[in-house]
Amino acid sequence: MADLPVAPGPLAVGLSAALQRAGLPVTADRAARLARALRLVPPVDRDSLYWTARVTLVPTRAQLPLFDAVFSAVFDGRLDPADSRGDDAAPPAVGSEPRTRPVPPDRRRSDPATSAPDDGPRAGSPGAGDADGAERETVLAVASAQERLGTTAFAELEPGELAEVRDLVRRLVLATPQRLSRRSRPGQGRRIDVRRTVAAAQRRGGDVERLVFAERRPRARRLVLLCDVSGSMQPYSRVFLTLLQGAVADASAEAFVFATGVTRLTRQLAGRDVDAALARAAAVCTGWSGGTRLAASIEEFLAVFGRRGMARGAVVVVLSDGWATDPPEEVAAAMARLRRLAHRIVWVNPRAAAPGFAPRVGGMAAALPFCDAFVSGHSLAALQEVVAAVRAG
């Protein structure tokens, strides 16, 4: 798996082997399916890994207790997967018996001179226990590293870990709720589609044999992201820009950054090459790591882009800690104007996760009454709340 220290193949094989030894008949196809699932949707914590493994490896409800016991043994270290059956005298489980192949008659006699050399420990040998322990340690290390990547704040990650997290953030899908457009299509609506009804009648010699009804087409609401790139947001800016790049490439979102002014980055962030997109964005961005004019930036966005329709009916996501040099009343006035245009405003403040945080003063306190959702987004797991808030109706 490209997003984990160990690829999804070895992780899937290791977990499947532990389940097989415990008596759960995990097939090679299911192990391969788990590897593909981990590659497509990298787990951000142990719960997501559990559900991914459960739905891909367990076909029946009767196998769930055994799966839960082995999963807990592997990732909690409370049980040895090899002893999860709980009875040493019990016969071998189905699927766990060692497979043997009949020996041809001419090779049944042992011949030390022609015997194949021993190339390693076999099942049941002392060396096999060491291999099992190493495999279990590998799986535990993978789960621990994955949990750290998912729950640690972006500002506290090492550079290598931050690069892995950015790869995971790039795969987050920001999907907005749908609304009915003005365009119609044949359907079960109450309105008669006159054009299609007449066209159908002309194909039948002018006789109207049936009425064609129309319904309005659903379409996703526009997604607009405004990211604060001032100095106080520097530990989070590059991760958030990666989120913006993924939203532009996959969800046709509109992306802006602001500090003392607004810069539109939709064109620069388009494309699948993340590094090239971020390099283009950095080349045109102004005010990076400087001060924040929150009210002035929102007003500029509304004046240049918002009132032309970009913010009208859209889901607007503001990624900022709310630290601004503008007076709070100006921030409140700008947010009130944005609120009248937008369908929904989601505010992402990475400092909201700090102990004792409370937006009582300043720009954040002034902006909060106009927000529909307020989330931290400080870590990979916290960004899942951002995804849910954007998707909410």
Side-chain angles (χ1 to χ4, degrees):
M1 180 162 52
D3 305 316
L4 286 175
V6 175
L11 176 60
V13 170
L15 182 58
S16 300
L19 292 168
Q20 285 182 331
R21 286 194 298 273
L24 194 69
V26 178
T27 64
D29 289 341
R30 290 191 175 277
R33 192 179 304 170
L34 173 60
R36 289 195 299 270
L38 293 174
R39 189 175 294 110
L40 291 174
V41 186
V44 297
D45 52 24
R46 208 188 77 159
D47 286 344
S48 59
L49 176 61
Y50 168 83
W51 284 107
T52 303
R54 174 172 162 172
V55 300
T56 53
L57 298 180
V58 184
T60 64
R61 183 180 296 274
Q63 296 175 346
L64 288 179
L66 184 55
F67 171 82
D68 289 344
V70 175
F71 190 91
S72 176
V74 171
F75 292 97
D76 289 340
R78 291 183 285 102
L79 295 173
D80 183 351
D83 296 333
S84 60
R85 287 166 57 81
D87 184 4
D88 295 335
V94 176
S96 63
E97 304 90 342
R99 297 181 179 180
T100 58
R101 181 179 298 175
V103 179
D106 57 341
R107 300 181 60 183
R108 287 180 180 175
R109 180 176 297 176
S110 175
D111 186 356
T114 58
S115 299
D118 188 6
D119 55 358
R122 298 180 181 178
S125 65
D130 297 339
D132 293 344
E135 178 184 278
R136 180 168 169 271
E137 291 298 326
T138 301
V139 176
L140 285 171
V142 170
S144 177
Q146 190 72 3
E147 186 170 1
R148 170 176 164 76
L149 291 179
T151 58
T152 304
F154 299 140
E156 300 174 1
L157 291 174
E158 300 294 333
E161 296 174 325
L162 197 58
E164 295 181 33
V165 166
R166 288 177 57 194
D167 287 340
L168 296 173
V169 170
R170 173 62 181 81
R171 302 185 182 190
L172 293 177
V173 179
L174 295 178
T176 57
Q178 293 190 334
R179 65 175 178 178
L180 295 178
S181 69
R182 294 181 179 180
R183 296 181 178 275
S184 62
R185 65 183 180 185
Q188 303 300 321
R190 296 181 178 180
R191 185 170 62 87
I192 297 176
D193 190 331
V194 178
R195 184 175 62 83
R196 289 191 174 90
T197 300
V198 172
Q202 290 176 341
R203 289 194 295 271
R204 292 171 174 78
D207 296 331
V208 179
E209 297 182 358
R210 66 181 181 88
L211 298 177
V212 180
F213 291 88
E215 63 181 11
R216 296 171 65 183
R217 293 178 183 270
R219 62 179 302 181
R221 291 188 177 276
R222 189 194 308 273
L223 177 61
V224 179
L225 300 108
L226 305 173
C227 182
D228 184 351
V229 292
S230 61
S232 61
M233 287 287 291
Q234 190 173 7
Y236 303 94
S237 296
R238 296 198 67 81
V239 176
F240 287 164
L241 281 178
T242 304
L243 182 68
L244 266 63
Q245 196 276 330
V248 171
D250 299 333
S252 300
E254 291 285 352
F256 298 84
V257 296
F258 67 91
T260 56
V262 171
T263 303
R264 186 182 184 184
L265 293 181
T266 304
R267 183 171 59 84
Q268 287 77 13
L269 292 179
R272 299 292 177 182
D273 190 333
V274 179
D275 293 333
L278 295 181
R280 291 193 298 268
V284 301
C285 182
T286 59
W288 195 289
S289 300
T292 308
R293 295 287 311 278
L294 183 57
S297 298
I298 295 176
E299 286 288 359
E300 182 181 350
F301 164 74
L302 292 174
V304 179
F305 305 100
R307 293 195 180 103
R308 295 180 179 178
M310 189 173 292
R312 195 178 303 278
V315 176
V316 179
V317 180
V318 183
L319 304 103
S320 173
D321 54 12
W323 292 0
T325 57
D326 298 314
E329 54 272 18
E330 294 184 8
V331 175
M335 286 295 296
R337 283 189 278 274
L338 177 62
R339 187 69 192 87
R340 286 194 290 270
L341 292 173
H343 168 73
R344 182 175 174 82
I345 298 178
V346 178
W347 196 289
V348 181
N349 187 339
R351 305 190 187 281
F357 173 84
R360 297 193 180 93
V361 296
M364 191 67 260
L368 195 57
F370 304 97
C371 299
D372 298 283
F374 182 71
V375 293
S376 65
H378 67 287
S379 66
L380 184 60
L383 282 182
Q384 296 293 340
E385 299 179 17
V386 179
V387 174
V390 170
R391 186 183 296 117

